[in-house]
Amino acid sequence: MPESKRRKKKAPSTVPAVSKKEEVNPPWLLPTMLTLMLVGLSWIVIFYLTSGKMDLPIPSIGQWNLAIGFAFIIAGFSLTTRWK
């Protein structure tokens, strides 16, 4: 049966436009990232500067101090993947 011309057309279902929030970095990201990288760098520098006499930061583990320093640096760089 034909529809009447007076009948109002259905309004298309409109979904309110969702405004996309601008993604921001969490406030802890930058300080944590920089701190981890600087701690790793300072760990390695302290190890090299004192390796002849005191073997700081941890004397009993020797060359593994380098691995700990690089682990801090790698952890800091892994946080850079979350940077937006």
Side-chain angles (χ1 to χ4, degrees), residues 33-66:
M33 178 177 66
L34 292 176
T35 301
L36 285 171
M37 287 191 259
L38 290 175
V39 165
L41 178 65
S42 61
W43 192 289
I44 292 172
V45 168
I46 289 172
F47 173 71
Y48 274 120
L49 290 178
T50 63
S51 64
K53 300 173 188 172
M54 296 178 275
D55 281 338
L56 291 177
I58 302 175
S60 61
I61 62 173
Q63 295 293 319
W64 282 101
N65 281 306
L66 290 175

Side-chain angles (χ1 to χ4, degrees), residues 28-45 65-82:
W28 57 267
L29 182 66
L30 183 63
T32 306
M33 178 177 66
L34 292 176
T35 301
L36 285 171
M37 287 191 259
L38 290 175
V39 165
L41 178 65
S42 61
W43 192 289
I44 292 172
V45 168
N65 281 306
L66 290 175
I68 292 172
F70 280 116
F72 277 118
I73 293 172
I74 290 168
F77 275 115
S78 69
L79 286 178
T80 62
T81 62
R82 297 184 56 138

Side-chain angles (χ1 to χ4, degrees), residues 10-22:
K10 281 185 178 178
S13 63
T14 57
V15 177
V18 177
S19 63
K20 187 176 182 181
K21 288 186 178 179
E22 187 175 323

